[in-house]
Amino acid sequence: MYDAPTTVEAPPVRTLAITQNITLDGAVEFLGDWFDPNAEGQDDVLAELHRQDAASDATLLGRRTFCDFRGFWPAQTDDATGITDYLNHVDKYVVSSTLTDPEWRNSTILSGDPVAEVAALKEQPGTDIVLTGSITLCHTLIAAGLVDEFRLFHHPVVQGAGRRLFPDGASFEGLRLLDARSFSGGVVYTAHAAR
């Protein structure tokens, strides 16, 4: 009797999704006051963020964005958005060669090569990993081909300046549309698969 060899399937790699607020002219750097996470009248946008949060168990940040978040969100005591509670409980990974103590619970410092560290993180068991802010880290991971999805909240603003989501020379053809919808205040959400 012949027994066919068994194959062991590799566990699926986690999705790395960049989630950004972006202007119509492509800026993700906030140079004005066009984005306020605590602004009223964004219930539909918050509902979409919470839907994405439910499918994610990790937040990935560069050092500057991590320090900005750490200095703001844990101090919010009357946060009706739920963002504070989520960020205080989700596993946070900060890419930094200078931080030694994250000083925020559920935070892990990734101090090695960012590409290797994030590739290894994607191989660990879990659900989506969401990267937000952290423009330099976004550029590095986009260039390395590690990003699986782009989830963008397009705000009805032309800023005329500011750093862009995609690094100079980045080229993507055939991005696959996963989702598109419009929200109050003129915000339009799109999600695209990078491959």
Side-chain angles (χ1 to χ4, degrees):
M1 174 172 198
Y2 173 74
D3 288 328
T6 58
T7 58
V8 178
E9 290 188 31
V13 174
R14 297 164 77 179
T15 294
L16 174 58
I18 290 179
T19 299
Q20 295 284 19
N21 292 285
I22 190 167
T23 64
L24 292 181
D25 58 339
V28 292
E29 181 180 14
F30 304 136
L31 298 180
D33 60 358
W34 56 270
F35 172 73
D36 179 357
N38 291 314
E40 292 187 24
Q42 297 186 93
D43 293 344
D44 48 1
V45 173
L46 282 172
E48 174 57 25
L49 287 173
H50 293 311
R51 185 191 69 74
Q52 292 180 28
D53 291 346
S56 167
D57 65 357
T59 297
L60 178 64
L61 303 164
R63 181 192 53 80
R64 283 182 289 210
T65 301
F66 176 83
C67 289
D68 288 347
F69 276 30
R70 182 186 65 194
F72 179 79
W73 287 109
Q76 304 308 300
T77 56
D78 293 332
D79 176 26
T81 68
I83 296 172
T84 297
D85 187 54
Y86 175 76
L87 288 174
N88 281 336
H89 291 94
V90 72
D91 288 331
K92 294 168 288 297
Y93 296 88
V94 54
V95 173
S96 174
S97 61
T98 59
L99 283 179
T100 56
D101 182 355
E103 300 175 13
W104 194 5
R105 70 179 172 209
N106 301 323
S107 297
T108 301
I109 297 170
L110 304 178
S111 59
D113 172 65
V115 172
E117 292 272 19
V118 173
L121 181 61
K122 288 182 66 170
E123 295 289 335
Q124 294 177 9
T127 58
D128 291 357
I129 303 164
V130 174
L131 169 59
T132 192
S134 312
I135 301 168
T136 301
L137 181 58
C138 286
H139 288 181
T140 298
L141 299 179
I142 289 168
L146 288 177
V147 178
D148 302 295
E149 291 182 19
F150 299 99
R151 301 172 183 170
L152 306 178
F153 291 86
H154 305 264
H155 290 258
V157 174
V158 173
Q159 188 168 264
R163 295 175 68 198
R164 308 286 189 243
L165 174 59
F166 296 96
D168 289 342
S171 176
F172 289 90
E173 294 183 19
L175 294 174
R176 185 169 45 91
L177 182 65
L178 301 173
D179 195 4
R181 61 183 90 168
S182 60
F183 296 116
S184 58
V187 173
V188 174
Y189 170 74
T190 61
H192 287 85
R195 45 186 156 273

